[in-house]
Amino acid sequence: MGKLDGKVAVITGGTTGMALAGAKLFVDEGAHVFITGRRQEALDEAVKQIGRNVTGVQGDAASLDDLDRLYDTVKREKGSIDVLWASAGGGEPAPLGEITEAQFDTWFGLNARGTLFTVQKALPLFNDGGSILMTGSNASLGAFPGWSVYAGSKAVQQAWARVWLNELKDRRIRVNVLTPGQVATAKQAELFDEATQRQFESLIPRGQMGRPDEIATAALFLASDDSSYVNGMELVADGGTTAI
Ligand SMILES: NC(=O)c1ccc[n+]([C@@H]2O[C@H](COP(=O)([O-])OP(=O)(O)OC[C@H]3O[C@@H](n4cnc5c(N)ncnc54)[C@H](OP(=O)(O)O)[C@@H]3O)[C@@H](O)[C@H]2O)c1
């Protein structure tokens, strides 16, 4: 028996990286998964890789119209949601003194505003007893120079998880934050050169970045009844980087 048998899960930004690994695992555990991404080609490839019990819906998690389209599709195809993993997010380095208005608007627009409306717009479809998880970042814990916009735009999630679980308690919907540290994804490789990636690894106790499948198993824990008594928490999966 799978941990998500018969469940419907929505994962934003699920076309590569840790959320794609999670989508595969959720399907292996019995869920039907809706994944999103902006690039149709990457979305089609992800749907092909997952192979079954998956629907791809092209869209930008920062766009409220695209979110409406996503949930219209979920409603039409499955009628309700049990698990929402708001994973679409991102950032770029910008030290204080050089931060532009456009950078602030882009990353707060996706990581904060986009995440809030991803959750809010899902609520009418949510089954009682469901689970919401949002992907944070250990940048909001680690005081890494140059990352204040990203860190701030992710830090809101911890406050929101606590307020929202209180607002949703009558529906027994749990809300948690999954907070990865450095994870070896295509995005990492695109953003950082080899030397920078090795420097990040020097901060991790085991000396190696996380793998997408290590985040996927943490996501499964939060999505499933394995974490039925875990609510309003931040699960930090960063190999201990910000614990020391
Ligand atoms: N990688 C890390 O080390 C790390 C560490 C801490 C936290 N995080 C967080 O973890 C999450 C996933 O990161 P990742 O590195 O696995 O992913 P990623 O490679 O940056 O993105 C995963 C997928 O999400 C889609 N996506 C990006 N922006 C989107 C948007 N606005 N709307 C819808 N889909 C979007 C991308 O497809 P399209 O480009 O086609 O849209 C991409 O295929 C993010 O929230 C990130 O901030 C990552």
Side-chain angles (χ1 to χ4, degrees):
M1 202 176 116
K3 290 178 191 284
L4 296 176
D5 273 343
K7 304 286 187 192
V8 174
V10 173
I11 305 178
T12 61
T15 55
T16 63
M18 51 188 104
L20 173 59
K24 286 178 183 162
L25 184 59
F26 284 15
V27 168
D28 287 347
E29 291 291 336
H32 183 98
V33 172
F34 289 81
I35 57 168
T36 76
R38 292 162 303 174
R39 292 165 300 149
Q40 187 67 51
E41 218 171 90
L43 187 64
D44 293 343
E45 177 55 33
V47 166
K48 203 166 115 193
Q49 275 189 42
I50 296 168
R52 67 198 159 104
N53 296 333
V54 58
T55 307
V57 184
Q58 187 278 334
D60 186 339
S63 156
L64 273 54
D65 287 345
D66 286 2
L67 290 171
D68 285 337
R69 217 167 22 78
L70 164 65
Y71 293 124
D72 284 349
T73 307
V74 177
K75 187 175 180 184
R76 201 170 52 245
E77 291 196 9
K78 290 289 173 184
S80 64
I81 299 172
D82 300 288
V83 174
L84 169 63
W85 180 5
S87 182
E92 63 187 313
L96 188 64
E98 294 173 23
I99 297 165
T100 66
E101 196 176 344
Q103 284 170 327
F104 182 92
D105 290 347
T106 298
W107 301 119
F108 272 78
L110 175 58
N111 298 334
R113 180 179 180 274
T115 298
L116 184 148
F117 286 104
T118 297
V119 172
Q120 177 164 286
K121 285 177 178 291
L123 286 184
L125 296 181
F126 239 89
N127 286 321
D128 288 0
S131 174
I132 296 171
L133 52 145
M134 302 176 274
T135 303
S137 169
N138 78 342
S140 65
L141 304 171
F144 304 115
W147 289 92
S148 62
V149 173
Y150 180 59
S153 68
K154 289 286 192 179
V156 295
Q157 293 180 0
Q158 187 51 51
W160 290 347
R162 297 173 61 235
V163 176
W164 292 343
L165 86 85
N166 208 10
E167 291 179 344
L168 297 171
K169 66 185 175 196
D170 292 344
R171 297 172 62 183
R172 293 177 292 103
I173 295 173
R174 299 180 295 110
V175 190
N176 290 289
V177 182
L178 173 54
T179 295
Q182 299 298 325
V183 178
T185 63
K187 192 72 186 175
Q188 276 275 344
E190 181 193 311
L191 269 177
F192 308 113
D193 61 20
E194 273 293 317
T196 309
Q197 291 184 49
R198 298 296 81 78
Q199 198 218 329
F200 283 143
E201 286 191 325
S202 72
L203 303 173
I204 303 168
R206 75 178 185 191
Q208 271 183 337
M209 286 195 197
R211 300 185 309 271
D213 62 282
E214 292 177 302
I215 303 303
T217 48
L220 176 62
F221 170 70
L222 291 177
S224 70
D225 285 346
D226 280 357
S227 61
S228 54
Y229 204 39
V230 178
N231 207 355
M233 289 291 112
E234 178 166 30
L235 194 161
V236 181
D238 73 351
T241 304
T242 52
I244 56 172

